[in-house]
Amino acid sequence: MHPYWAGLAGGALIGLSVAGLMLLNGRIAGISGVVAGLGQDRGERRWADLAFVGGLIGGPALFAWLSGEWPTMRFVASLPVLALAGLLVGFGTRLGSGCTSGHGVAGLARLSPRSLAAVLTFLAAGMVTVAVLRGLPQ
Amino acid sequence: MTGAAPRLAAALAMGLLFGLGLSLSGMLDPARVQGFLDVGGAWDPTLIFVLGGAVSVALAGFALARRLPRPVLDTRFDLPARRRIDAPLIGGAALFGVGWGLSGLCPGPAVAALSTGALPILVFVPAMLVGMAAFRLIRGAR
């Protein structure tokens, strides 16, 4: 399958998941929020966070079982840079109340101006960062 | 009001669907994601297709949700109350964008990829959790 069609089909499954979690449980499928919820939610909500994250982690394994191969992963950063990036992603998504799923998929689908502002900001910041990386001597 | 078991089963199934979709979409591949952000270089538009597919389906689902008095398995829809576009939103999104650009990883793909056991993921995800915990500490101290 061409990467664009795989992207569209995979995107539709992601959209189905986001729609399904809202229709069934009334919750936004924002990954940074659910992951942070593992540490701060209580009671059933925490179990629901855990169930969703467990399913999410199982997703690539299910894909491997169905397709016969694990998803391609080509890493682009050294381990120290990954550690720095992880800190920024963790802190930034909490300060900004969401990431590519919560703001990018659910927020845009809810036509939230707040999420649109967040999406435009993290896209711009990401593009500037990659432009700077490309400008550095390799 | 139904018991907790159907809600937990729904959360598990939706998480699995999300992870399956991410895997099929190619978004688990940091090089492809970073390639989308590389607008001045060898630009890879795949992420547009992923986001387009996801938002279209979610849009239809949310339109349906607005017609329901409550979710199928729970008592109320839990929606973000905040409306203001403020400094924390923009500052947080900017910090996230820098980390995303540096690594080609955002929370969904990074957490899903834990099942691959890849070393870079085993460095990134704990660092992300530390970043989240740091935010809680700082906010709690204020």
Side-chain angles (χ1 to χ4, degrees):
Chain A
M1 198 179 341
H2 190 282
Y4 297 172
W5 299 128
L8 195 63
L13 292 182
I14 294 168
L16 202 58
S17 160
V18 171
L21 197 69
M22 181 55 67
L23 285 166
L24 294 170
N25 290 3
R27 288 196 63 187
I28 296 272
I31 309 301
S32 55
V34 174
V35 169
L38 286 175
Q40 55 198 48
D41 287 342
R42 291 291 173 262
E44 187 198 314
R45 199 177 162 91
R46 189 182 219 167
W47 286 106
D49 296 333
L50 193 63
F52 186 88
V53 169
L56 179 65
I57 295 172
L62 177 61
F63 177 84
W65 183 65
L66 292 172
S67 73
E69 54 188 345
W70 285 82
T72 305
M73 296 186 77
R74 297 165 294 168
F75 293 98
V76 293
S78 65
L79 296 182
V81 171
L82 282 166
L84 172 66
L87 287 171
L88 289 169
V89 169
F91 191 87
T93 52
R94 294 318 295 150
L95 180 61
S97 319
C99 57
T100 15
S101 48
H103 283 312
V105 180
L108 292 187
R110 289 178 62 226
L111 310 176
S112 153
R114 214 174 117 82
S115 287
L116 179 62
V119 170
L120 294 177
T121 303
F122 63 62
L123 280 177
M127 285 171 179
V128 168
T129 301
V130 175
V132 170
L133 281 179
R134 295 290 185 259
L136 295 174
Q138 296 295 308
Chain B
M1 179 76 184
T2 49
R7 286 191 290 275
L8 296 181
L12 179 69
M14 293 307 111
L16 202 57
L17 194 58
F18 201 111
L20 185 66
L22 276 175
S23 304
L24 176 61
S25 72
M27 292 299 106
L28 243 49
D29 182 4
R32 191 174 284 285
V33 173
Q34 202 186 46
F36 171 77
L37 297 171
D38 191 10
V39 279
W43 188 55
D44 180 335
T46 309
L47 193 142
I48 293 279
F49 288 83
V50 181
L51 198 60
V55 171
S56 309
V57 174
L59 200 66
F62 284 9
L64 181 60
R66 273 192 289 273
R67 292 163 165 268
L68 297 178
R70 59 179 186 82
V72 176
L73 301 175
D74 211 331
T75 48
R76 63 180 194 93
F77 290 106
D78 185 14
L79 295 171
R82 269 176 285 183
R83 290 268 178 276
R84 233 154 51 88
I85 296 171
D86 50 14
L89 178 81
I90 300 302
L95 289 178
F96 163 47
V98 172
W100 191 35
L102 285 174
S103 61
L105 288 166
C106 55
V111 170
L114 281 172
S115 51
T116 69
L119 178 63
I121 294 296
L122 300 181
V123 170
F124 181 90
V125 172
M128 182 179 88
L129 297 178
V130 169
M132 288 178 167
F135 172 74
R136 266 188 94 187
L137 280 177
I138 290 170
R139 194 186 49 177
R142 245 194 340 223

